[in-house]
Amino acid sequence: MPDSISLGFDTSAASCAAALVSGDRVIASRVEAMTKGQAERLFPLIEELLAEAGLAWRDLSVIGVGTGPGNFTGIRIAVAAARGLSLSLGIPAIGIGATEAAAYGLPRPCRIVLPLRADQVVWQDFDGSDSRPQQATEGTLPPGPPVAEARVPAAEAIARLALSRRTEYLPRPAPIYLRPADAA
């Protein structure tokens, strides 16, 4: 098995998604739709992928984690899991935003628009500027580059981006929140 293996996972949307990537090859990948239960499902899902690929935790080189924006609890689940795995395995954990993952492999300039709850969306322009994800009501976005659709599943894009950044010094993964939590 190749040396550099990346685990990417995301629980910021209404799913639990994970992928194992080495170089240009997807070793294993799975997305399970769910609105609740990601905390209970994430580690069994990852262990199933590792077993399917004939790998063990110690074979991983880097962890990529979806940091949102998205579901508040889901983001916290994934970030906490990535930080814990990073510490226990002694490998880097790299946070990847949802819009950045969706823009992976797309021609630039482009705009990524992802649905949130109700009529809200998160959007970000990838046009060489230093734009950041923003939240808006659907249909009220300012003029900008053409809207593009993701070509690569989120967990796979997260794993690929983390693999490409594994040698950079980056801060620990942290959630991307665009608004305060609904619960106090």
Side-chain angles (χ1 to χ4, degrees):
M1 197 46 64
D3 291 340
S4 296
I5 298 171
S6 178
L7 166 65
F9 56 87
D10 184 42
T11 58
S12 67
S15 64
C16 190
L20 293 166
V21 170
S22 180
D24 292 333
R25 190 168 71 96
V26 177
I27 300 169
S29 179
R30 191 166 306 141
V31 178
E32 295 181 4
M34 59 180 60
T35 56
K36 294 180 182 179
Q38 290 95 332
E40 294 81 9
R41 184 67 185 125
L42 180 59
F43 278 97
L45 177 69
I46 294 169
E47 288 177 337
E48 290 167 12
L49 290 180
L50 288 168
E52 178 183 318
L55 298 170
W57 291 103
R58 70 182 175 284
D59 296 320
L60 299 175
S61 307
V62 64
I63 297 162
V65 59
T67 56
N71 176 288
F72 183 83
T73 303
I75 295 167
R76 293 174 65 84
I77 289 165
V79 169
R83 285 182 175 188
L85 284 171
S86 173
L87 286 171
S88 66
L89 297 172
I91 60 175
I94 298 169
I96 307 292
T99 51
E100 183 182 9
Y104 177 78
L106 294 175
R108 311 296 168 98
C110 69
R111 174 176 281 175
I112 297 297
V113 179
L114 302 174
L116 293 174
R117 292 189 299 182
D119 63 346
Q120 297 292 300
V121 295
V122 61
W123 64 279
Q124 184 173 359
D125 290 340
F126 292 87
D127 58 1
S129 67
D130 191 23
S131 89
R132 302 202 184 283
Q134 299 180 52
Q135 187 172 336
T137 303
E138 195 169 11
T140 65
L141 301 181
V147 175
E149 297 290 325
R151 293 185 185 163
V152 177
E156 180 186 332
I158 290 166
R160 289 184 185 283
L161 286 164
L163 192 58
S164 72
R165 296 177 186 163
R166 73 186 178 281
T167 59
E168 298 175 29
Y169 173 77
L170 298 168
R172 295 183 311 169
I176 299 172
Y177 299 130
L178 299 181
R179 60 183 181 78
D182 293 335

